[in-house]
């Protein structure tokens, strides 16, 4: 019989799986896991950056060459083998690309060429550099803040040297761990003689080496000078990453040539754009990229591949902020959904007592917005002063062009601008296509109102604030402006020239403003406030708001319906490579919102036992306790700690790693730039003491017992989160390893190796065909075709595993994912374009029911899940499902009268039963949820 060709992956993913690639997990390693992900139901692998990154990179975002696939990952041949193998499984590939920045490192050929030739380099315009910096020592030069100590000290200590490479016949500067090129003609004569003459071991050698360095197109400097002096755009405040000007067509083409070729040839099927808000003109960028992808679609069509490739963007949306409707993208990468589903699982009545408890521990009574403004002021003053001053200078140039505004001084502009930046409520505006959009106007109005409050009754400052708003996109250049005369030209410029120069000056200022607010927002909130303020850490997550603790069910439904209407194929994430806590860590901590007073009393007692009075502060101890409770492994028995010293040490080592990062990011008692060794030692001793016999181990045992007491409830929350991600409008994204329980912490903890053999073995055991002849220790062995076929056909009678082992291992979560994705494969249009209909519940537990229908063309999928009652349902995870199901007695879900499907054909996808629907179209939840906390039903 002729073999049947595998199905071609759809242009819109059914589900994605995010994989972190690096030297220890290459493209070949990803290929070996294709059978597992195919059997799980994933349609596309979603790869971290594949282009060549700096040597030793563990994430791929420090790109040094956009024009080749990383040799560390296996190169283009390995990528093609992965693509071919994926296609054989009916799967596709999506790649994460990094258009915003590259590594500012000499191994980056574009960067090195610019360092060698300066403004004359063909790549001088590739990078976002201010060649006319106000500092005279930087005019025509690039700051290289790579030295470990001040320049003169590093020079005297021999940390900067002229070195000749006999093999290549070239000389270079060795400094800061890099080999930096020399400007042509700057070092003439015999290389050996010159190197000896510039030997920094002598005063004369230092002088000659210094003179040589002064002739270069770069200025070597102490790393601490970067915030104050940097004259090129960085990624956030990372001086190892330089901004790229993809708004320039030639730069765009060079950056995207490889990925567009791979897309055209069918190796890639979609792209994820990293940090879209860093770009000068995100909308114009996306339109150009979409045009280029459509131009490649003809070649794809001839090869029998779908066009209109998948295109999503990394974008953080604020509360009530919507994605720009005119952008040609399928949506975001899912941080917005991660926040929404997390808030849905937090009980509103816990917010006040937990915030009061936090205020008493931190001794800071200010609310979250006030603390966020404080963090923003710190970032502006100490982390982004150079970027801020560059914007001030751009605005001052506009002011000085007009006689009516030239009296506004730079200090005044700085003062008022800082108030505006500190109050800005979203990542950025997008005033690039004919001015501000209505959304831009809305957010700017909020920022202006808050800035006015901060400036008080200073009438001049308030007047200047309105002027800044005009210059930053709030109005068109005034006609008939009085251009200030210059010494060179005592008369005013012509109107056309003046208007052109005015528009150019405003464009520059607006671009600097719109590229400063995103890093300011991210660093102030995600990387400062979320580490220094923690009433409940499960609500401190990327994409979350410090003011949104909970989300009403009706609002969650409204957001899902809105996504279905505007971006039905946006990604849905609950875990990412950037998350602060794993999805199941957060789900467990959310349980604390159901028992806030019990938790408060318990934590208060532990804080006193954790350390004697003094450092660390009670607030930092409380954050530590939350992390211990949230991440406690299910396999770590509190009653057998002395028998598991290695497991205890491993867990507490992970906690210690988190603690150091948390304390330094908070920037209250220590920081990355100024570590406080004494404070960090005292904090670390809190963890080390937990391993000591006596009081330390007794406290650790109490913490572990409490963590495992709420753990079953946390698992119930986890299944709610999982079933929602896989069934509401959007494309579910599975982060590597999160197919089982994910009790990770912030990176690097969330990027630990994944045990694929364990996952493959569990999936084989839950084979719905009833048996498996697969070698579960070999993740490269394909799962039986019969198993995958039977799942996709929907004729599964075998219940998902719900025994104690399944709950402990996470097999129940894995099986839920597999059944849901099989259903998406069986009824693609139901999930791709189907209606989203919230359902009402009646009865004593109605407030705890999430229920909705997905339906299309006579097909119907029903989803039911619990919220804010996880403690009451813990019995599901403790071998007592009947006891848990009793909670639902008398509560019913009501199906709408206009369901155009045969309700008698409804079948439970998870347990194989046919539910009973009464004459009123109601389902009794104590029967529907008899075996597990969630229900997934479909018509046959």
């Amino acid at each position: 019989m002729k073999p049947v060709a595998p199905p071609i992956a759809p242009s819109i993913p059914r589900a994605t799986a995010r994989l972190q690639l690096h030297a220890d997990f290459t493209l070949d390693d990803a290929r070996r896991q294709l059978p597992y992900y195919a059997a799980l139901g994933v349609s596309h692998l979603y790869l971290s950056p594949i282009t060549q990154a700096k040597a030793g990179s563990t994430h791929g975002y420090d790109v040094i060459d956009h024009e080749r696939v990383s040799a560390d990952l296996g190169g283009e041949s390995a990528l093609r083998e992965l693509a071919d193998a994926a296609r054989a499984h009916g799967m596709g590939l999506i790649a994460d690309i990094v258009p915003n920045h590259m590594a500012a490192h000499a191994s980056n050929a574009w960067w090195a060429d610019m360092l060698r030739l300066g403004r004359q380099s063909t790549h001088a315009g590739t990078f976002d550099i201010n060649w006319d910096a106000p500092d005279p020592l930087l005019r025509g030069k690039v700051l290289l803040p790579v030295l470990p100590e001040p320049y003169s000290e590093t020079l005297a200590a021999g940390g900067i040297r002229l070195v000749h490479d006999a093999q290549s016949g070239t000389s270079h500067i060795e400094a800061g761990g890099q080999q930096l090129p020399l400007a042509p003609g700057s070092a003439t004569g015999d290389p050996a003689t010159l190197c000896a003459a510039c030997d920094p071991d002598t005063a004369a050698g230092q002088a000659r080496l210094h003179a040589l360095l002064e002739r270069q197109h770069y200025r070597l400097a102490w790393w601490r000078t970067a915030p104050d002096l940097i004259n090129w755009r960085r990624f956030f405040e990372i001086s190892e990453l330089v901004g790229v000007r993809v708004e320039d067509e030639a730069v765009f083409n060079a950056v995207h040539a490889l990925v567009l070729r791979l897309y055209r040839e069918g190796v890639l099927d979609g792209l994820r754009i990293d940090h879209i808000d860093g770009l000068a003109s995100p909308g114009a960028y996306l339109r150009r990229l979409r045009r280029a992808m459509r131009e490649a679609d003809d070649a794809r069509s001839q090869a029998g591949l779908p066009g209109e490739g998948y295109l999503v963007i990394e974008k953080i949306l604020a509360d009530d902020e919507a994605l720009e409707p005119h952008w040609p993208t399928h949506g975001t990468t899912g941080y917005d959904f991660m926040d929404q589903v997390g808030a849905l699982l937090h009980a509103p009545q816990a917010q006040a007592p937990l915030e009061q408890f936090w205020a008493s521990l931190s001794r800071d009574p200010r609310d979250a917005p006030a603390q966020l403004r404080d963090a923003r002021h710190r970032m502006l003053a100490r982390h982004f002063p150079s970027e801020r001053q560059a914007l001030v200078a751009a605005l001052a140039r506009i002011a000085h062009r007009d006689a009516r505004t030239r009296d506004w001084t730079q200090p005044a502009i700085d003062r008022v601008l800082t108030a505006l930046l500190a109050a800005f409520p979203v990542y950025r505006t997008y005033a690039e296509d004919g001015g501000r959009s209505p959304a831009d106007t809305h957010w700017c109005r909020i920022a202006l109102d808050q800035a006015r409050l901060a400036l008080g009754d200073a009438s001049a400052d308030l007047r200047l604030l309105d002027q800044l708003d005009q210059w930053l996109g709030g109005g068109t250049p005034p006609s008939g402006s009085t251009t200030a005369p210059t010494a060179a030209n005592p008369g005013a410029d012509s109107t056309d020239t003046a208007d052109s120069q005015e528009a150019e000056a405003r464009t520059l200022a607006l671009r600097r403003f719109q590229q400063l607010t995103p890093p300011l927002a991210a660093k102030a909130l995600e990387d400062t406030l979320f580490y220094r303020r923690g009433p409940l850490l499960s609500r401190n997550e990327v994409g979350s708001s410090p003011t949104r603790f909970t989300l009403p069910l009706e609002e969650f439904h409204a957001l899902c319906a809105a996504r279905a209407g505007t971006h039905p194929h946006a990604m849905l994430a609950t875990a990412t490579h950037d998350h602060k806590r794993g999805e199941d860590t957060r789900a467990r901590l959310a349980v604390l919102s159901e028992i806030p007073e019990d938790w408060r009393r318990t934590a208060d007692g532990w804080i006193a036992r954790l350390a004697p009075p003094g450092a660390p502060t009670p607030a930092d101890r409380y954050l530590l306790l939350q992390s211990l409770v949230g991440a406690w492994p299910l396999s770590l028995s509190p009653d057998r700690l002395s028998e598991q010293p290695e497991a205890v040490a491993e867990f507490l080592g992970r906690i210690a790693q988190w603690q150091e990062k948390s304390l330094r990011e908070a920037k209250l008692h220590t920081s990355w730039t100024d570590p406080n060794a004494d404070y960090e030692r005292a904090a670390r001793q809190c963890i080390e003491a937990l391993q000591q016999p006596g009081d330390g181990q007794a406290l650790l045992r109490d913490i572990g017992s409490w963590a495992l007491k709420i753990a079953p409830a946390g698992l119930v929350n986890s299944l709610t989160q999982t079933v929602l991600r896989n069934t509401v409008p959007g494309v579910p994204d599975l982060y590597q390893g999160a197919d089982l329980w994910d009790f990770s912490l912030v990176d690097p903890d969330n990027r630990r190796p994944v045990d694929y053999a364990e996952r493959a073995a569990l999936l084989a055991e839950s084979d719905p065909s009833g048996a498996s002849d697969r070698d579960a220790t070999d993740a490269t062995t394909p799962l039986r075709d019969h198993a995958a076929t039977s799942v996709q056909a929907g004729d599964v009678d075998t219940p998902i595993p719900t025994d104690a082992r399944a709950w402990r291992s996470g097999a129940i979560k894995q099986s839920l994912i597999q059944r849901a994705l099989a259903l998406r494969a069986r009824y693609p249009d139901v999930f791709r374009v189907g209606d989203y209909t919230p359902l009402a519940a009646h009865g004593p537990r109605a407030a705890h029911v999430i229920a909705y229908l997905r339906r299309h063309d006579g097909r119907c999928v029903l989803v039911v899940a619990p919220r804010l009652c996880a403690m009451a349902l813990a019995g599901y995870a403790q071998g007592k499902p009947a006891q848990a199901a009793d909670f639902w007695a008398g509560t019913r879900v009501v199906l709408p009268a206009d369901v155009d499907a045969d309700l008698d054909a409804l079948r439970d996808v998870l347990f194989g039963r046919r539910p009973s629907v009464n004459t009123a179209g109601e389902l009794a939840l104590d029967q529907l949820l008899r075996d597990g906390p969630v229900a997934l039903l479909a018509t046959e």
Side-chain angles (χ1 to χ4, degrees), residues 796-802 812 819 908-913 928 931-936:
V796 178
D797 292 317
T798 307
I800 64 171
T802 58
I812 186 172
R819 299 290 176 93
D908 188 332
V909 173
L910 304 181
F911 298 101
R913 296 191 308 268
L928 187 63
D931 299 304
V934 300
L936 181 59

Side-chain angles (χ1 to χ4, degrees), residues 83-357:
D84 290 343
R87 192 162 298 135
H89 285 85
M91 297 172 66
L93 301 181
I94 298 166
D96 191 346
I97 66 171
V98 194
N100 177 70
H101 54 268
M102 296 182 74
H105 193 272
S107 59
N108 178 346
W110 295 355
W111 181 250
D113 190 72
M114 182 278 301
L115 294 179
R116 188 172 70 89
L117 299 176
R119 274 179 158 166
Q120 302 309 309
S121 168
T122 56
H123 292 292
T126 298
F127 305 104
D128 205 345
I129 300 168
N130 178 12
W131 293 99
D132 299 308
D135 187 338
L137 295 179
L138 279 175
R139 299 274 168 78
K141 292 177 180 271
V142 170
L143 184 76
L144 287 189
V146 298
L147 303 180
E149 301 295 339
Y151 172 77
S152 62
E153 295 178 18
T154 305
L155 187 66
I160 307 172
R161 289 186 178 274
L162 175 64
V163 177
H164 181 71
D165 184 347
Q167 185 173 359
S168 67
T170 61
S171 299
H172 60 264
I173 295 294
E174 282 192 356
Q178 299 188 48
Q179 296 181 354
L180 303 169
L182 294 170
S186 63
T188 57
D190 177 65
T193 302
L194 187 60
C195 288
C198 292
D199 188 343
D201 292 339
T202 67
Q206 291 175 30
R208 282 188 283 269
L209 181 55
H210 171 69
L212 174 62
L213 292 170
E214 291 293 277
R215 296 194 292 274
Q216 305 310 310
H217 297 292
Y218 50 84
R219 173 188 162 189
L220 288 171
W222 189 20
W223 65 270
R224 288 185 182 273
T225 64
D228 295 314
L229 292 179
I230 201 84
N231 65 328
W232 40 272
R233 181 169 59 87
R234 302 174 289 174
F235 171 67
F236 288 4
E237 56 177 340
I238 302 174
S239 301
E240 290 78 27
L241 298 174
V242 56
V244 174
R245 297 182 60 252
V246 287
E247 64 270 22
D248 181 281
E249 185 174 5
V251 177
F252 176 93
N253 292 337
V255 167
H256 295 83
L258 172 66
V259 293
L260 286 172
R261 174 172 63 82
L262 293 173
Y263 172 72
R264 182 174 63 252
E265 295 172 357
V267 177
L268 299 178
D269 300 288
L271 300 174
R272 179 261 199 192
I273 312 304
D274 181 65
H275 192 47
I276 191 75
D277 278 343
L279 307 184
S281 303
Y285 167 84
L286 288 170
R287 288 191 292 274
R288 178 176 282 169
L289 180 59
R290 177 52 81 188
R291 282 197 302 270
M293 294 177 74
R294 284 176 177 154
E295 289 170 3
D297 283 344
D298 286 343
R300 289 178 62 88
S301 177
Q302 292 174 14
L305 298 173
E308 196 65 19
Y310 192 55
L311 182 60
V312 289
I313 59 175
E314 183 198 32
K315 163 64 187 166
I316 306 296
L317 294 169
D319 288 355
D320 303 322
E321 182 185 12
L323 193 61
E324 286 290 307
H326 304 300
W327 286 358
T329 174
H330 288 103
T332 73
T333 54
Y335 289 120
D336 43 334
F337 174 77
M338 186 160 68
D339 173 54
Q340 292 159 14
V341 74
L344 182 68
L345 298 178
H346 285 72
Q349 64 269 21
Q351 182 172 5
L354 290 177
E355 290 193 346
Q356 290 166 7
F357 185 42

Side-chain angles (χ1 to χ4, degrees), residues 674-693:
D674 294 288
N676 183 332
D678 290 340
Y679 191 87
E680 291 185 9
R681 187 181 306 110
R684 190 166 54 251
Q685 286 172 350
C686 287
I687 299 173
E688 293 169 351
L690 295 173
Q691 300 181 67
Q692 302 303 315

